[in-house]
Amino acid sequence: SEPSAPLRQYASETGGALVMNVKQLPEVMDRLRNRVRLTYQVDREPDLAPRQVSVRTRRPGLKVTAPRWSSSSAAAAVMEVRALDLLENPERAEKGDLAIEAYAVPDENSGITERAGTLRARIDLAPLKAVSSQIGATRVRFTIAFNESGSLPSFVHNTMDVADLGKLDSIEWAAPYKVPPTTDSASIVVEELTTGAWGSVRIALDGTLGTPQVVQQPVEATPSEWLTDRGVAMAKAAREDKLVFALHREPDCRACAKLLRESSSHPTVQRLSSRFVLLVTPPTRAAAPGLETPATFGVIDQTGLEPLTWPGQNDRREVIGVGELADILQRADAAAPFVKQSASERLQGRPVDAYLSLGWGFRQAGDAARASEAYAAAARAARTTGDLEKAQSADVLRALVEAKRGKMQESITALRAITTAPISRKTESEAYLALGQLLRASGNEREAAEALERVSVDVAASVMPPQESRVISGNTRAVRLLVAERAPYSGTITAQALTRDPAVASVLFVLDGKEVANDTRPPFDAPVDLGSVPRRHELRIVARNKAGGIVADDALILNDRHDEFWVRLSLGDRRVANASLNLPTGGTLAKAEFFLDDRLIATRTAPPFSVPVGETNEGSTLRVQATLADGRSVEDALLVGIGSELIEVQEVEMFATVLDAQDEVVRNLDRAQFTVIEENEPRRILGFEFLEKAPFTVGLAVDSSSSMLPRMADVHQSAREFLGRSAADGNRAFVVDFDTEPKLVAGTTANADVLRDAVSSIRADGSTALYDAMVFSLLQLQGVPGKRALIVLSDGKDSGSRYTLDDVVH
């Protein structure tokens, strides 16, 4: 297909434009400069269903460019694409997260002019179990694609209302069909519209294909997604920038073959395995005596080493089941970024960093013994090269891992030795922090308190990667939340609580208001599943004492812009208004003011930002305004009812550009000349603003893959000229460099020199992770007020992204 097709589709869906020549940029930017912002109100509860939106002007002869959808769930056209892909590419097509058993029941009375019958399906809701009780009433959409020989496929859509999803383990569905006699197969795609979870299955209309037939295949068969040639698998992994997940088995291991077939219909296994290149090979060593079905799993890195391995048998020496395989894949996926980083550092001649990264990988995979070995190897290598600071940091990490393995006193002794002769303030703080936590765990509260008082939390935190935006909420001197991965965040991450208060006995981990883990032994950490696509999340830790009282808390906003200034208002129990703040880099809070119907009711200058509201009138407005020391301010508001009951009202913000018959921008417009229609329902326009003089924010994502090498000189020149003109009059921009992965090389700034220098530093190499770069760049733009745009400079289609075009568009 045309390389620019994904970009063209994305621009069309979002009201943007595809620019093929840099000379067109001034015209496009002029349109952006003259956009208007429309805000409209809907009287429905929030949901994720796709809503088609039409923005029209009442003046004849004009056209409006605006987004076509106001939702994040998949449009019907996307479901048709999924269904069609499954029909045409059953082995390669994405299957989704929901497992579906489906088959056709042919009508014996069908004539020769048509094929008729009933489609039946059972949808397993297990993947939604954790959230189904909160969903309640919902709707499920079914999309069926029929494969018609000699003509284009036909599609059918229908929906099913579900009264209470939390009470169901599965959904049974049936629908009649009538198709031409040449139609022999169909694919069914199911989507639960509140969460967007979906699944799909392909069936034959004679009733023999689909999930029921899978168990009838010969046990020796291997699913096609599992390769059998190691060289082919390694080459494919290099092209797609993935690791190889291997099953080493004997050829006659019938239980292994059965496990692979069963895994092909397991939603979790399918989702996680898609992140690897799958390989089936003979065992690398002889089986132990008496082990009749030898099998091991492992992860092979880009250099051919296999640092992660798991046994493929349980305690009864039987091949594991699909549930255990899902757990192994979960561990492998969590460790994968560190395994890849370790291999890259080894290739660059940095063995100390390679061992440290591998230690983190082993910890993510739950292998404390091998993590300890990796940290010991890192310490030895660092001392050999004379880097004594990294050697001590590795010793601290090893002591923490050894303590988790039960060697508490040995670890305490090792940490005491470091504190008596630290190489730097950094390693001293790291050692005292670890020592204080282990002393507390062993019951020595007095010495633990003394050790923790000597910790600089900011210095100790430097052993972790850079953090996301921090919420001002609690006592971060007593506890600090860190994450071990880099943005954008998705999949399973490790959250760690750095504590220095000896009263802390447990740490609760809360994701978006829901408890996900509770650790009662220091060092406090927990795996947290963020889902397959990067979304904005609030991750919070609550430190408690032995009596259950709250000692301190801390929180991070993941997948958010680092420099954003915002305030979020919520109404809690007992009619208390709560505000969460995020400060931009270098910003200092002056005050947070709470208003009820424009009457000031409280002012706060430090957390906690909580205010009793009391009784209110019907339709009262509760508002908070946060102001920085430099005068900048932001606000948030809610409608509340009698007794401070929150009224569910959504405000939707849209931008539109109006052009006349000559494609010239029309400026003399007002609110009365616009109509907003959502799903054929007119919506009341609450706000109207012409943004001609308002500054804008532009993200520039530059493709630096190998194929761009002949064009990089032109890219550098054009991008520098564009950024020089754009970063003026209060306008701001940021620069993302992407090849195999995206990198933010210049944060949002109005400094044209910084932006131009960032572009000049970009060099061509690697593959084209186009969709990953677009997701990463859009995360930098989310929450930016006023006019904003993303410009992508690329020469071809995606290669090797974790995310898809659907993830970008929706």
Side-chain angles (χ1 to χ4, degrees), residues 591-604 611-613 621-627:
K591 59 183 176 180
E593 298 173 297
F594 292 80
F595 298 86
L596 183 63
D597 292 331
D598 294 326
R599 176 175 56 87
L600 180 66
I601 59 175
T603 300
R604 299 285 185 267
V611 174
V613 178
T621 301
L622 181 64
R623 180 168 60 91
V624 61
Q625 178 173 314
T627 305

Side-chain angles (χ1 to χ4, degrees), residues 7-36:
L7 298 174
R8 191 180 304 281
Q9 179 181 347
Y10 179 71
S12 175
E13 289 285 338
T14 58
L18 178 62
V19 179
M20 305 298 289
N21 189 318
V22 69
K23 294 180 179 179
Q24 297 174 306
L25 276 177
E27 177 187 354
V28 174
M29 298 309 297
D30 183 63
R31 293 185 182 182
L32 174 67
R33 192 175 292 110
N34 290 282
R35 283 201 151 196
V36 296

Side-chain angles (χ1 to χ4, degrees), residues 287-306:
L291 190 58
E292 298 178 356
T293 54
T296 58
F297 292 95
V299 172
I300 304 173
D301 68 20
Q302 51 265 50
T303 69
L305 295 182
E306 189 170 0

Side-chain angles (χ1 to χ4, degrees), residues 536 560-561 564-566 568 634 653 732 778-786 788:
R536 184 184 183 280
D560 212 344
R561 294 171 47 248
E564 186 181 6
F565 176 31
W566 54 253
R568 304 277 191 268
V634 292
E653 185 178 84
R732 304 192 305 163
L778 290 171
L779 288 173
Q780 311 306 313
L781 281 171
Q782 70 176 2
V784 174
R788 56 195 185 272

Side-chain angles (χ1 to χ4, degrees), residues 40-165:
Y40 65 94
Q41 179 179 318
V42 295
D43 54 3
R44 53 177 165 77
E45 293 185 358
D47 59 41
L48 295 177
R51 308 283 176 173
Q52 190 168 8
V53 179
S54 174
V55 181
R56 304 169 184 171
T57 176
R58 296 178 181 176
R59 184 183 297 181
L62 303 180
K63 61 182 179 181
V64 179
T65 300
R68 301 176 183 176
W69 299 89
S70 67
S71 173
S72 60
S73 70
V78 174
M79 304 306 289
E80 291 182 1
V81 170
R82 287 172 173 168
L84 181 60
D85 190 36
L86 186 57
L87 275 182
E88 298 179 346
N89 307 288
E91 287 78 22
R92 300 195 305 271
E94 186 182 3
K95 306 300 191 301
D97 290 330
L98 300 179
I100 305 172
E101 295 179 355
Y103 57 95
V105 182
D107 186 347
E108 297 180 356
N109 298 321
S110 296
I112 60 174
T113 60
E114 66 177 10
R115 185 191 292 266
T118 302
L119 300 177
R120 295 188 179 276
R122 177 185 176 276
I123 299 92
D124 185 0
L125 300 178
L128 298 178
K129 204 63 180 176
V131 297
S132 60
S133 60
Q134 285 80 43
I135 294 175
T138 186
R139 176 170 287 190
V140 179
R141 176 172 57 189
F142 297 84
T143 301
I144 306 99
F146 293 99
N147 183 23
E148 298 184 4
S149 178
S151 61
L152 295 175
S154 60
F155 299 93
V156 176
H157 298 276
N158 58 40
T159 59
M160 170 189 290
D161 290 321
V162 178
D164 190 348
L165 197 68

